[in-house]
Amino acid sequence: MPLVSMRQLLDEAAKGGYGVGAFNVNDMEQIQAIMGAAQETNSPVIIQASRGARAFAQDRYLFHLILAASELYPDIPIAMHQDHGNSFETCKSAIELGYTSVMMDGSLKEDGKTPSSFEENVAVTKQVVDYAHERGVTVEGEIGVLGGVEDGHGAGGSGLEHITDPDQAVEFAERTGVDALAIAIGTSHGAYKFTKRPDGSVLKMDVLIAIHKRLPSTHLVMHGSSSVPKDLQDIVNEYGGKLKETWGVPVEEIQLGIRNGVRKVNVDTDNRLAITGAIRKVLWTQPEKFDPRDYMKPAREAMQKVVSQRMTQFGQAGHAHDYSPISIETIAKGYKDGSLATRPLVAAK
Ligand SMILES: [Zn+2]
């Protein structure tokens, strides 16, 4: 199956009332883990690469690894997504390479650190939307600023400094025509999201619900949504790791989000923890080992297990064969003739 439009994948998720995990990749084993999980659970998938991943793996390697996944699993819809594009140029280069979806994170300036103004965000996002939609490519925008830093990207902070304002979310969606909208509700990138199990004072699910009420047909995206489970932290620490105690976003909160318009859920840290724990365990308990396959194989299996769990918890499991892919060219026509409306349906306050 050719790579599919993320818009189609999210529209189907909205119809089916489920969420789709978007998992980050940097190497072959992570792609294999995701595809293994997708096959095991019969799930459509979003594979995403950050700027850091593209630099680490090199664009051509990464792109061809994902193409290999689409050849090996012809029945599974795969959308390939640029995570946190920092500029029009980054998004354009991903589109030229063949990505079927891009995130223009205009909530930060091009340095990927400094919060931008609302008008700057609208302008650069709209520029990406115009370019991408002409080519049938999906666009995710971001309004509000997430906490933390990952891969050198992020404003830092706790995530509570720039919670999304629902009125601004409406205006942003209307003026840019984005297909999906990432919002800031107190989550952060990385492992250290919360210092205790989060409650409504730090994880603003009420804001998410308010935005969904105003924008009932806009696909919402939750970033920084690893759950950082204790058992994965424990494995890392049991075999010589030094993680500080930390809490992520509980799966039940993500499920509440999914019942309120969340269609894309970004997960990276949980997979990183699973991989690191598995590698540490082999190196710690069997120090005589030196063949990378001896630890990469358990690492891949550990990530596959986490991804399978999330696919099941988010509800995408069982939905890989609900639909046939629409070609990117047809999607481009849909944007042009208005049949794929991107002017959001806005409800009164
Ligand atoms: Zn993110």
Side-chain angles (χ1 to χ4, degrees), residues 46 59 64 73 99 109 132 141 150 165-166 183 271 277 282 328 348:
I46 300 168
D59 277 340
H64 283 275
Y73 300 91
Y99 284 54
K109 291 179 186 278
E150 194 160 30
D165 170 62
I183 54 173
N271 293 327
V282 173
I328 294 296

Side-chain angles (χ1 to χ4, degrees), residues 106-109 114-123 143 168 172:
S107 73
L108 301 175
K109 291 179 186 278
T114 316
S116 63
S117 72
F118 179 75
E119 289 301 328
E120 285 171 316
N121 191 357
V122 168
I143 180 76
Q168 271 199 348
F172 184 81

Side-chain angles (χ1 to χ4, degrees), residues 83-84 103 142 146 189 223-224 266:
D83 192 18
H84 289 287
M103 176 186 193
E142 176 169 322
L146 284 136
H189 292 119
H223 279 244
N266 287 13

Side-chain angles (χ1 to χ4, degrees), residues 235-276:
I235 296 172
V236 172
N237 286 340
E238 193 181 333
Y239 300 105
K242 285 202 169 102
L243 296 173
K244 289 178 283 180
E245 197 171 39
T246 178
W247 277 262
V249 183
V251 168
E252 311 85 78
E253 300 289 350
I254 297 170
Q255 289 168 332
L256 172 65
I258 291 169
R259 289 195 296 278
N260 288 281
V262 170
R263 298 293 158 231
K264 175 171 178 274
V265 186
N266 287 13
V267 174
D268 190 8
T269 296
D270 288 351
N271 293 327
R272 294 177 173 198
L273 288 172
I275 289 168
T276 299

Side-chain angles (χ1 to χ4, degrees), residues 26-28 31 57 60-70:
N26 302 277
D27 60 28
M28 179 183 75
I31 295 168
R60 302 307 297 173
Y61 279 120
L62 203 52
F63 184 68
H64 283 275
L65 284 168
I66 295 170
L67 279 188
S70 73

